[in-house]
Amino acid sequence: MASKFEEGRHWAQVIFTHDSKPPVLIDKEQITLGRKEDCDISFPGCKFVSGHHCTITRDPGGTVWLQDFSTNGSLLNGKKIDKEKKIQINHNDQVQIVHRKDHPGSDIAFVFQDLKVLKEEAKLLDNTLEYDNDTEEDVCEDEDVKPSEAAFVSQKRSHSEAGDTDEGPVSKRKHQESEEGASSSKKPELLPHNSIADTLLCSICQDIFHDCVSLQPCIHSFCAACYSQWMDRSNECPTCRKKVERISKNHIINNLVEAFLKEHPERQRTEEELREMDSNNKITEDMLRPKHMRGLFASSSFGEDDDDGESDVSSASGVDDSSESDDPDRIGATFMPSSFGGLFGFSSLIRSVPTNCRLCPGYISPTTLTAMASTASEGASTSVTPPDYTCTPDQIHILCQCCLQPMPHRWPDSMTASIPAQKCSVCQKAFCHLLWGCHGSGCLGCLNKFKDFNIGDNTFLVIINNNPYESKILKDYLTEQNICEKDLLQKCVLKLDSKEYTTVDAASHDINSESVLCYRCALRNFKELAYQFRRDIPMDQLPETVHRRANCYWGKHCRTQRTKPLHASRFNHICEQTRFT
């Protein structure tokens, strides 16, 4: 997508590199990036982004500053930014507001570009070419310099400034032919050299990029149509032969190409060539998405953004992507749209998504719904009575992120107060459990009040720091004190209401026992409450082998405790980190 240079209005733009989105233009002196909806650039539902993560500010002198307020921190050109410290950012600086090695697919980064500098670069293209052409003509017209000497000087300058190219040898050959077949007084025919144009050439078609795409992780770029033809033969990069993990639009190169062709229309492809390339482009929007989001958007209204500007289909599993799930009990329902299944030959695994909900006129329950209801766990409530309401023809629907069944999104004003909550108060994802009882496979109550959170049987295996050894200590203590899992939850939420305990989302959300949370958010916050309960257990009520252990200097943040049983048993991890503090 081309950037727009509108002086006096937009002064900069940010280009996100983690996803195929057009540049975001900036026209305010200060913008805020974060998870909350009041941010100028919002990332709703991303747990790694703070509510108000960072700001970009331009002072009266024109200097641009980046200030980070986040919990996890941000990176500027690969270096960590000190919290709340202003740091100057310049044209083409890269900012990573999410960078996690354990969740590589969740990285969020953008390139900051000053539109004034970008416009000057576009002008520089034309000035550079005019300077080269004028210089060559002046040398050739000098009476004291022979044509053959002028050609030698021009070629020497071209090679010294830009290296060997395909245009240099061609110019030399044409000059030699003209000397042999014509008089020595005739000017040699020299092709103008443009190093910037050379950088905008596709290595496959050897022409200016058209609809440029970049391959990851090698970042080599090609025309979308050119790479589409190569893609049919190999899944490796045509240049370096590395395996291609993802394809993404290269908006920076596309912007440079548009600016270059505007100044040099003679390099533009013909309309017929452009139509042919567009028809050969086989790279779909689904291929441009990260792997964990491919195939989630069917060609129906459910994949479109709702009125709030956010998509309600964000995960194929009941709560979140299975690779990131914290709950060993939770098994999400599998969903694959027909376009995805037909493309990769998984049509036998497809479960079609209905086009209307159970409140729509003439609703027919899907055949898969009966199978799902028969396998639903005992913890999932299936006896909730749906609201007395019939959907209108223009009713907006959203998908439950657990069972992937549609449900109404907008209700009449007279019914708003009586309709149960449909979204988690933390991640804002939609679920149908409180509305009419979710039938998702393995659902334990995908949306509920925190105090009514249904703890799975296997949750306590890694309830403390994902550490099986520390979790067993808590489990044995509860068994000795005749405290069941439900009693522990009630004790913890009472401490939460009295402000004795806190949650991991306390910085951005005021969570209490009445807060409506999805299963994933409730489990994450309950683990923090259980840790605080374990921390408050008197040492004399625990076995001697437990309280005589030395503290691990990484404390509760130790990663080894999760994978090394010997380390977990030898050191106490119910403590704060002392390393580097």
Side-chain angles (χ1 to χ4, degrees):
M1 182 177 184
S3 58
K4 300 178 181 179
F5 303 110
E6 298 180 347
E7 294 186 358
R9 184 165 178 260
H10 298 117
W11 58 273
Q13 68 179 4
V14 293
I15 301 177
F16 288 97
T17 60
H18 69 286
D19 208 345
S20 301
K21 293 182 179 180
V24 179
L25 296 172
I26 302 175
D27 59 359
K28 300 168 61 177
E29 298 302 316
Q30 176 174 312
I31 65 167
T32 304
L33 296 86
R35 189 176 64 249
K36 291 189 175 181
E37 295 182 357
D38 60 348
C39 295
D40 298 289
I41 302 179
S42 179
F43 306 89
C46 182
K47 64 180 181 180
F48 300 122
V49 179
S50 299
H52 294 93
H53 197 96
C54 62
T55 60
I56 298 177
T57 308
R58 183 176 67 167
D59 62 20
T63 305
V64 184
W65 304 91
L66 176 71
Q67 190 170 13
D68 182 80
F69 300 95
S70 65
T71 302
N72 298 324
S74 302
L75 303 179
L76 176 61
N77 296 327
K79 296 183 179 180
K80 185 72 176 291
I81 304 173
D82 295 335
K83 188 173 183 180
E84 298 187 11
K85 179 182 178 181
K86 285 188 176 181
I87 185 169
Q88 183 178 350
I89 58 174
N90 302 305
H91 179 66
N92 279 340
D93 278 351
Q94 184 177 30
V95 179
Q96 291 176 277
I97 61 178
V98 174
H99 177 67
R100 296 182 64 88
K101 295 181 180 179
D102 52 343
H103 295 84
S106 62
D107 286 5
I108 297 178
F110 65 84
V111 175
F112 172 80
Q113 290 189 334
D114 189 319
L115 293 186
K116 183 178 180 181
V117 177
L118 205 60
K119 186 175 182 180
E120 291 175 353
E121 290 178 351
K123 289 182 178 179
L124 184 61
L125 290 173
D126 185 43
N127 294 337
T128 303
L129 182 58
E130 290 178 357
Y131 173 81
D132 290 342
N133 292 340
D134 293 343
T135 304
E136 291 172 2
E137 292 176 359
D138 293 342
V139 171
C140 292
E141 292 175 356
D142 194 320
E143 295 179 356
D144 297 331
V145 182
K146 296 180 180 180
S148 60
E149 294 175 345
F152 174 78
V153 172
S154 176
Q155 292 170 6
K156 183 176 181 181
R157 181 181 66 251
S158 175
H159 284 278
S160 63
E161 291 178 353
D164 293 338
T165 65
D166 292 339
E167 295 177 351
V170 172
S171 302
K172 185 176 181 180
R173 183 171 61 253
K174 288 187 176 182
H175 173 58
Q176 291 174 347
E177 292 174 355
S178 66
E179 274 193 328
E180 294 173 359
S183 65
S184 60
S185 61
K186 186 177 180 180
K187 292 183 180 180
E189 183 181 356
L190 298 176
L191 295 178
H193 178 79
N194 193 309
S195 59
I196 297 181
D198 293 341
T199 64
L200 300 179
L201 291 179
C202 171
S203 61
I204 296 179
C205 66
Q206 291 297 308
D207 204 344
I208 299 296
F209 286 114
H210 173 65
D211 194 10
C212 178
V213 296
S214 294
L215 312 183
Q216 296 182 14
C218 63
I219 316 298
H220 286 124
S221 301
F222 309 93
C223 300
C226 296
Y227 182 70
S228 294
Q229 296 177 357
W230 173 270
M231 187 173 57
D232 293 337
R233 297 183 294 172
S234 174
N235 63 345
E236 297 176 344
C237 172
T239 300
C240 64
R241 295 301 190 269
K242 285 187 177 180
K243 184 177 180 181
V244 178
E245 297 181 0
R246 185 184 168 193
I247 309 171
S248 60
K249 292 277 189 181
N250 195 321
H251 295 289
I252 296 178
I253 290 184
N254 286 330
N255 290 344
L256 291 174
V257 167
E258 181 165 342
F260 177 78
L261 293 179
K262 187 176 182 180
E263 299 295 332
H264 305 280
E266 71 277 2
R267 300 298 298 269
Q268 177 72 50
R269 300 174 191 261
T270 64
E271 292 294 332
E272 183 179 354
E273 287 179 313
L274 294 178
R275 284 194 297 269
E276 182 180 359
M277 294 191 73
D278 291 337
S279 63
N280 292 334
N281 183 6
K282 302 176 183 178
I283 300 176
T284 64
E285 288 296 327
D286 191 66
M287 295 180 186
L288 298 175
R289 298 190 182 101
K291 288 183 178 180
H292 67 280
M293 296 186 66
R294 292 178 188 173
L296 299 185
F297 296 85
S299 56
S300 65
S301 61
F302 306 122
E304 299 174 356
D305 293 347
D306 59 16
D307 293 345
D308 297 332
E310 63 182 41
S311 177
D312 291 287
V313 183
S314 61
S315 176
S317 63
V319 177
D320 214 326
D321 189 83
S322 58
S323 61
E324 300 178 2
S325 177
D326 290 332
D327 178 22
D329 293 314
R330 188 71 180 89
I331 303 176
T334 303
F335 165 66
M336 302 172 78
S338 56
S339 60
F340 184 87
L343 179 62
F344 294 97
F346 296 139
S347 57
S348 60
L349 302 178
I350 297 174
R351 173 163 62 83
S352 60
V353 177
T355 57
N356 53 8
C357 74
R358 63 186 68 185
L359 298 181
C360 291
Y363 169 75
I364 300 177
S365 177
T367 56
T368 54
L369 187 60
T370 304
M372 285 196 302
S374 63
T375 58
S377 66
E378 297 179 358
S381 173
T382 58
S383 60
V384 180
T385 303
D388 186 12
Y389 173 73
T390 302
C391 293
T392 58
D394 59 345
Q395 179 70 53
I396 299 176
H397 289 82
I398 53 177
L399 291 184
C400 170
Q401 299 300 286
C402 181
C403 65
L404 293 174
Q405 299 300 308
M407 57 181 172
H409 184 40
R410 295 286 184 264
W411 301 87
D413 294 339
S414 58
M415 298 182 62
T416 303
S418 60
I419 298 299
Q422 294 175 257
K423 288 189 176 183
C424 172
S425 59
V426 174
C427 67
Q428 294 299 308
K429 293 181 180 179
F431 300 91
C432 68
H433 178 68
L434 293 179
L435 185 65
W436 50 45
C438 181
H439 295 280
S441 176
C443 179
L444 297 174
C446 51
L447 190 69
N448 224 329
K449 292 183 178 180
F450 196 10
K451 65 179 182 180
D452 298 327
F453 170 53
N454 192 1
I455 305 173
D457 295 336
N458 297 327
T459 300
F460 273 80
L461 296 177
V462 289
I463 191 67
I464 304 295
N465 299 341
N466 288 328
N467 182 334
Y469 188 84
E470 296 290 355
S471 301
K472 185 177 183 302
I473 294 175
L474 176 62
K475 180 66 175 177
D476 293 343
Y477 172 79
L478 296 177
T479 301
E480 183 180 349
Q481 300 294 325
N482 293 321
I483 300 176
C484 65
E485 291 83 353
K486 280 289 186 182
D487 293 338
L488 175 62
L489 174 62
Q490 299 307 317
K491 290 177 180 290
C492 289
V493 295
L494 287 176
K495 295 278 189 178
L496 177 63
D497 290 342
S498 63
K499 305 299 182 182
E500 296 181 52
Y501 288 174
T502 185
T503 61
V504 293
D505 295 315
S508 56
H509 298 84
D510 184 17
I511 299 177
N512 54 49
S513 59
E514 297 293 329
S515 298
V516 177
L517 304 175
C518 67
Y519 190 90
R520 183 179 178 83
C521 293
L523 178 60
R524 182 177 67 252
N525 286 280
F526 175 61
K527 285 185 174 182
E528 177 62 24
L529 297 181
Y531 170 85
Q532 297 172 61
F533 181 89
R534 164 67 180 85
R535 179 196 60 195
D536 293 343
I537 298 177
M539 284 295 183
D540 56 1
Q541 297 184 20
L542 296 173
E544 183 180 355
T545 55
V546 173
H547 60 72
R548 73 181 181 185
R549 297 176 301 167
N551 290 342
C552 174
Y553 51 65
W554 294 110
K556 62 181 181 180
H557 302 296
C558 175
R559 291 181 292 182
T560 308
Q561 63 175 318
R562 307 168 189 170
T563 57
K564 304 293 184 182
L566 181 60
H567 176 81
S569 61
R570 291 179 59 187
F571 294 95
N572 174 47
H573 293 89
I574 310 301
C575 57
E576 296 298 322
Q577 177 180 335
T578 57
R579 182 78 166 177
F580 303 131
T581 58

